[in-house]
Short mmCIF file of all heavy atoms in Angstrom, two decimals:
data_model
loop_
_atom_site.label_atom_id
_atom_site.label_comp_id
_atom_site.label_asym_id
_atom_site.label_seq_id
_atom_site.Cartn_x
_atom_site.Cartn_y
_atom_site.Cartn_z
N GLU A 341 136.85 144.88 115.26
CA GLU A 341 137.35 144.43 116.48
C GLU A 341 138.86 144.19 116.43
O GLU A 341 139.41 144.27 115.31
CB GLU A 341 136.66 143.10 116.89
CG GLU A 341 136.90 141.94 115.93
CD GLU A 341 136.13 140.71 116.20
OE1 GLU A 341 135.46 140.63 117.26
OE2 GLU A 341 136.08 139.82 115.38
N GLY A 342 139.44 143.89 117.52
CA GLY A 342 140.88 143.56 117.57
C GLY A 342 141.75 144.62 116.93
O GLY A 342 141.58 145.82 117.26
N ALA A 343 142.65 144.20 116.04
CA ALA A 343 143.64 145.12 115.43
C ALA A 343 143.00 146.16 114.56
O ALA A 343 143.61 147.17 114.23
CB ALA A 343 144.66 144.29 114.64
N ALA A 344 141.70 145.98 114.20
CA ALA A 344 141.05 146.93 113.34
C ALA A 344 140.33 148.03 114.15
O ALA A 344 139.75 148.97 113.57
CB ALA A 344 140.05 146.23 112.37
N ARG A 345 140.31 147.88 115.48
CA ARG A 345 139.62 148.95 116.29
C ARG A 345 140.28 150.31 116.03
O ARG A 345 141.47 150.44 115.79
CB ARG A 345 139.86 148.63 117.80
CG ARG A 345 138.97 147.60 118.31
CD ARG A 345 139.01 147.57 119.89
NE ARG A 345 138.36 146.36 120.32
CZ ARG A 345 138.99 145.25 120.74
NH1 ARG A 345 140.29 145.23 120.76
NH2 ARG A 345 138.27 144.23 121.16
N GLY A 346 139.42 151.29 116.02
CA GLY A 346 139.90 152.69 115.78
C GLY A 346 139.74 153.17 114.31
O GLY A 346 140.01 154.28 114.04
N VAL A 347 139.28 152.24 113.45
CA VAL A 347 139.01 152.67 112.10
C VAL A 347 137.87 153.73 112.19
O VAL A 347 136.90 153.58 112.91
CB VAL A 347 138.56 151.49 111.18
CG1 VAL A 347 137.97 151.98 109.89
CG2 VAL A 347 139.70 150.53 111.03
N GLU A 348 138.04 154.81 111.48
CA GLU A 348 137.10 155.97 111.58
C GLU A 348 135.91 155.78 110.66
O GLU A 348 135.99 155.10 109.62
CB GLU A 348 137.84 157.28 111.21
CG GLU A 348 138.98 157.67 112.13
CD GLU A 348 138.52 158.07 113.47
OE1 GLU A 348 137.45 158.73 113.58
OE2 GLU A 348 139.34 157.77 114.42
N SER A 349 134.79 156.39 111.08
CA SER A 349 133.59 156.43 110.24
C SER A 349 133.89 157.39 109.10
O SER A 349 134.70 158.29 109.16
CB SER A 349 132.39 156.89 111.05
OG SER A 349 132.09 155.99 112.07
N VAL A 350 133.12 157.21 107.98
CA VAL A 350 133.17 158.09 106.86
C VAL A 350 131.74 158.32 106.42
O VAL A 350 130.84 157.58 106.85
CB VAL A 350 134.00 157.50 105.63
CG1 VAL A 350 135.47 157.32 106.05
CG2 VAL A 350 133.40 156.18 105.14
N PRO A 351 131.48 159.36 105.65
CA PRO A 351 130.10 159.56 105.18
C PRO A 351 129.57 158.27 104.52
O PRO A 351 130.16 157.76 103.61
CB PRO A 351 130.23 160.69 104.18
CG PRO A 351 131.40 161.52 104.68
CD PRO A 351 132.42 160.44 105.17
N GLY A 352 128.43 157.87 105.00
CA GLY A 352 127.78 156.67 104.44
C GLY A 352 128.08 155.37 105.15
O GLY A 352 127.36 154.40 104.98
N VAL A 353 129.09 155.39 106.03
CA VAL A 353 129.46 154.13 106.76
C VAL A 353 129.84 154.54 108.16
O VAL A 353 130.84 155.21 108.40
CB VAL A 353 130.58 153.36 106.11
CG1 VAL A 353 130.89 152.09 106.93
CG2 VAL A 353 130.26 152.97 104.66
N ARG A 354 129.02 154.11 109.14
CA ARG A 354 129.39 154.33 110.55
C ARG A 354 130.19 153.10 110.98
O ARG A 354 129.81 151.96 110.72
CB ARG A 354 128.12 154.39 111.40
CG ARG A 354 128.40 154.71 112.83
CD ARG A 354 127.13 154.91 113.67
NE ARG A 354 126.71 153.70 114.29
CZ ARG A 354 125.48 153.26 114.37
NH1 ARG A 354 124.48 153.96 113.79
NH2 ARG A 354 125.23 152.13 115.02
N VAL A 355 131.30 153.35 111.60
CA VAL A 355 132.18 152.25 112.11
C VAL A 355 132.06 152.14 113.63
O VAL A 355 132.15 153.17 114.32
CB VAL A 355 133.66 152.47 111.77
CG1 VAL A 355 134.56 151.34 112.27
CG2 VAL A 355 133.79 152.59 110.20
N GLU A 356 131.72 150.96 114.05
CA GLU A 356 131.64 150.67 115.50
C GLU A 356 132.80 149.81 115.88
O GLU A 356 132.96 148.67 115.35
CB GLU A 356 130.31 149.88 115.81
CG GLU A 356 129.13 150.70 115.65
CD GLU A 356 128.56 151.27 116.98
OE1 GLU A 356 128.99 150.73 117.99
OE2 GLU A 356 127.78 152.19 116.93
N SER A 357 133.66 150.30 116.78
CA SER A 357 134.74 149.49 117.31
C SER A 357 134.26 148.71 118.54
O SER A 357 133.92 149.33 119.59
CB SER A 357 135.90 150.36 117.67
OG SER A 357 136.55 150.95 116.56
N ALA A 358 134.17 147.39 118.43
CA ALA A 358 133.69 146.56 119.55
C ALA A 358 134.69 146.66 120.70
O ALA A 358 135.88 146.43 120.47
CB ALA A 358 133.47 145.18 119.07
N ALA A 359 134.23 146.83 121.87
CA ALA A 359 135.10 146.92 123.05
C ALA A 359 135.62 145.51 123.35
O ALA A 359 136.75 145.31 123.77
CB ALA A 359 134.37 147.46 124.25
N GLY A 360 134.83 144.53 123.09
CA GLY A 360 135.15 143.11 123.31
C GLY A 360 134.95 142.34 122.04
O GLY A 360 135.52 142.66 120.98
N SER A 361 134.00 141.38 122.04
CA SER A 361 133.71 140.55 120.91
C SER A 361 132.92 141.34 119.88
O SER A 361 131.91 141.97 120.23
CB SER A 361 132.91 139.35 121.39
OG SER A 361 132.19 138.76 120.34
N GLY A 362 133.34 141.27 118.63
CA GLY A 362 132.59 141.87 117.55
C GLY A 362 131.21 141.23 117.40
O GLY A 362 130.23 141.94 117.15
N ASP A 363 131.18 139.94 117.59
CA ASP A 363 129.89 139.22 117.49
C ASP A 363 128.91 139.75 118.55
O ASP A 363 127.71 139.91 118.20
CB ASP A 363 130.06 137.70 117.66
CG ASP A 363 130.80 137.09 116.51
OD1 ASP A 363 131.17 137.75 115.53
OD2 ASP A 363 131.02 135.82 116.57
N ASP A 364 129.39 139.97 119.77
CA ASP A 364 128.49 140.46 120.78
C ASP A 364 127.93 141.85 120.43
O ASP A 364 126.78 142.13 120.62
CB ASP A 364 129.17 140.53 122.16
CG ASP A 364 129.45 139.16 122.79
OD1 ASP A 364 128.86 138.16 122.24
OD2 ASP A 364 130.27 139.08 123.71
N ARG A 365 128.79 142.73 119.84
CA ARG A 365 128.33 144.08 119.48
C ARG A 365 127.37 144.00 118.34
O ARG A 365 126.36 144.74 118.34
CB ARG A 365 129.57 144.92 119.09
CG ARG A 365 129.16 146.35 118.78
CD ARG A 365 128.55 147.06 120.00
NE ARG A 365 128.02 148.36 119.66
CZ ARG A 365 126.80 148.79 120.00
NH1 ARG A 365 126.04 148.05 120.74
NH2 ARG A 365 126.45 150.04 119.64
N ILE A 366 127.58 143.08 117.42
CA ILE A 366 126.65 142.91 116.30
C ILE A 366 125.34 142.42 116.81
O ILE A 366 124.28 142.96 116.41
CB ILE A 366 127.24 141.96 115.23
CG1 ILE A 366 128.42 142.61 114.51
CG2 ILE A 366 126.14 141.49 114.24
CD1 ILE A 366 129.30 141.65 113.72
N ALA A 367 125.30 141.49 117.72
CA ALA A 367 124.03 141.01 118.31
C ALA A 367 123.34 142.14 119.04
O ALA A 367 122.10 142.28 118.92
CB ALA A 367 124.33 139.84 119.22
N GLU A 368 124.07 143.00 119.78
CA GLU A 368 123.47 144.08 120.48
C GLU A 368 122.81 145.05 119.50
O GLU A 368 121.65 145.51 119.74
CB GLU A 368 124.53 144.87 121.31
CG GLU A 368 125.06 144.17 122.47
CD GLU A 368 126.29 144.82 123.08
OE1 GLU A 368 126.71 145.96 122.57
OE2 GLU A 368 126.82 144.30 124.06
N LEU A 369 123.51 145.37 118.43
CA LEU A 369 122.95 146.26 117.39
C LEU A 369 121.66 145.68 116.78
O LEU A 369 120.70 146.42 116.52
CB LEU A 369 123.99 146.60 116.32
CG LEU A 369 125.13 147.45 116.77
CD1 LEU A 369 126.26 147.46 115.72
CD2 LEU A 369 124.68 148.92 116.99
N ALA A 370 121.72 144.37 116.47
CA ALA A 370 120.48 143.70 115.92
C ALA A 370 119.33 143.75 116.90
O ALA A 370 118.23 144.03 116.51
CB ALA A 370 120.81 142.30 115.50
N ALA A 371 119.64 143.59 118.21
CA ALA A 371 118.60 143.64 119.20
C ALA A 371 118.00 145.07 119.27
O ALA A 371 116.79 145.21 119.37
CB ALA A 371 119.15 143.23 120.53
N GLU A 372 118.85 146.08 119.22
CA GLU A 372 118.40 147.46 119.22
C GLU A 372 117.53 147.86 117.99
O GLU A 372 116.81 148.76 118.03
CB GLU A 372 119.59 148.44 119.35
CG GLU A 372 120.35 148.31 120.65
CD GLU A 372 121.68 149.00 120.65
OE1 GLU A 372 121.98 149.70 119.63
OE2 GLU A 372 122.44 148.85 121.59
N ALA A 373 117.73 147.07 116.90
CA ALA A 373 117.05 147.39 115.69
C ALA A 373 115.65 146.80 115.57
O ALA A 373 114.98 146.95 114.57
CB ALA A 373 117.90 146.89 114.50
N ARG A 374 115.26 146.08 116.58
CA ARG A 374 113.89 145.45 116.56
C ARG A 374 112.86 146.46 116.09
O ARG A 374 112.84 147.58 116.55
CB ARG A 374 113.53 144.86 117.89
CG ARG A 374 114.15 143.59 118.19
CD ARG A 374 113.51 142.96 119.31
NE ARG A 374 114.26 141.72 119.71
CZ ARG A 374 113.79 140.80 120.49
NH1 ARG A 374 112.61 140.94 121.05
NH2 ARG A 374 114.50 139.73 120.70
N GLY A 375 112.02 146.03 115.18
CA GLY A 375 110.99 146.94 114.71
C GLY A 375 111.36 147.70 113.43
O GLY A 375 110.55 148.38 112.86
N ARG A 376 112.57 147.54 113.01
CA ARG A 376 112.98 148.15 111.73
C ARG A 376 113.72 147.09 110.92
O ARG A 376 114.25 146.12 111.48
CB ARG A 376 113.83 149.38 111.93
CG ARG A 376 115.33 149.12 112.16
CD ARG A 376 116.09 150.40 112.45
NE ARG A 376 116.71 150.91 111.23
CZ ARG A 376 117.73 151.75 111.20
NH1 ARG A 376 118.28 152.10 112.37
NH2 ARG A 376 118.24 152.14 110.10
N PRO A 377 113.68 147.21 109.59
CA PRO A 377 114.43 146.18 108.79
C PRO A 377 115.91 146.18 109.15
O PRO A 377 116.51 147.24 109.28
CB PRO A 377 114.17 146.69 107.35
CG PRO A 377 113.04 147.61 107.41
CD PRO A 377 113.03 148.23 108.79
N CYS A 378 116.47 144.97 109.26
CA CYS A 378 117.85 144.81 109.62
C CYS A 378 118.41 143.64 108.87
O CYS A 378 117.85 142.56 108.81
CB CYS A 378 117.97 144.57 111.16
SG CYS A 378 119.67 144.32 111.75
N LEU A 379 119.56 143.82 108.29
CA LEU A 379 120.37 142.81 107.61
C LEU A 379 121.74 142.72 108.19
O LEU A 379 122.42 143.73 108.33
CB LEU A 379 120.49 143.22 106.09
CG LEU A 379 121.39 142.33 105.28
CD1 LEU A 379 120.82 140.92 105.11
CD2 LEU A 379 121.60 142.96 103.84
N VAL A 380 122.12 141.51 108.56
CA VAL A 380 123.41 141.30 109.17
C VAL A 380 124.20 140.50 108.12
O VAL A 380 123.77 139.46 107.61
CB VAL A 380 123.43 140.55 110.45
CG1 VAL A 380 124.79 140.19 110.97
CG2 VAL A 380 122.68 141.40 111.51
N VAL A 381 125.42 141.02 107.77
CA VAL A 381 126.29 140.34 106.79
C VAL A 381 127.42 139.62 107.57
O VAL A 381 128.30 140.27 108.11
CB VAL A 381 126.85 141.34 105.76
CG1 VAL A 381 127.74 140.63 104.76
CG2 VAL A 381 125.73 142.00 105.09
N THR A 382 127.34 138.28 107.54
CA THR A 382 128.35 137.45 108.16
C THR A 382 128.18 136.00 107.70
O THR A 382 127.04 135.64 107.28
CB THR A 382 128.31 137.46 109.71
OG1 THR A 382 129.35 136.74 110.26
CG2 THR A 382 126.94 136.92 110.20
N ALA A 383 129.18 135.19 107.77
CA ALA A 383 129.11 133.78 107.48
C ALA A 383 129.16 132.99 108.78
O ALA A 383 129.01 131.77 108.74
CB ALA A 383 130.25 133.36 106.53
N ASP A 384 129.30 133.61 109.89
CA ASP A 384 129.41 132.99 111.19
C ASP A 384 128.08 132.38 111.57
O ASP A 384 127.11 133.09 111.81
CB ASP A 384 129.88 134.01 112.25
CG ASP A 384 130.06 133.44 113.60
OD1 ASP A 384 129.06 132.94 114.23
OD2 ASP A 384 131.20 133.42 114.07
N ARG A 385 128.02 131.03 111.63
CA ARG A 385 126.74 130.35 111.88
C ARG A 385 126.13 130.72 113.22
O ARG A 385 124.87 130.95 113.26
CB ARG A 385 126.98 128.84 111.79
CG ARG A 385 127.10 128.35 110.45
CD ARG A 385 127.12 126.86 110.39
NE ARG A 385 127.43 126.36 109.04
CZ ARG A 385 128.28 125.37 108.77
NH1 ARG A 385 128.90 124.74 109.76
NH2 ARG A 385 128.49 125.07 107.48
N GLU A 386 126.92 130.77 114.23
CA GLU A 386 126.35 131.06 115.58
C GLU A 386 125.83 132.50 115.63
O GLU A 386 124.78 132.79 116.15
CB GLU A 386 127.42 130.87 116.67
CG GLU A 386 126.97 131.27 118.06
CD GLU A 386 125.75 130.54 118.59
OE1 GLU A 386 125.36 129.48 118.05
OE2 GLU A 386 125.15 131.07 119.62
N LEU A 387 126.59 133.43 115.03
CA LEU A 387 126.12 134.82 114.98
C LEU A 387 124.82 134.96 114.17
O LEU A 387 123.89 135.66 114.51
CB LEU A 387 127.18 135.75 114.37
CG LEU A 387 126.87 137.23 114.30
CD1 LEU A 387 126.44 137.79 115.70
CD2 LEU A 387 128.03 138.00 113.74
#
Side-chain angles (χ1 to χ4, degrees):
E341 63 186 350
R345 280 190 193 104
V347 169
E348 298 290 326
S349 296
V350 297
V353 180
R354 185 174 96 222
V355 179
E356 290 262 342
S357 290
S361 160
D363 290 0
D364 289 347
R365 184 63 186 132
I366 290 166
E368 289 169 3
L369 290 167
E372 292 167 7
R374 280 191 185 196
R376 83 183 266 204
C378 179
L379 172 66
V380 174
V381 179
T382 186
D384 182 295
R385 286 188 185 136
E386 175 60 16
L387 181 56

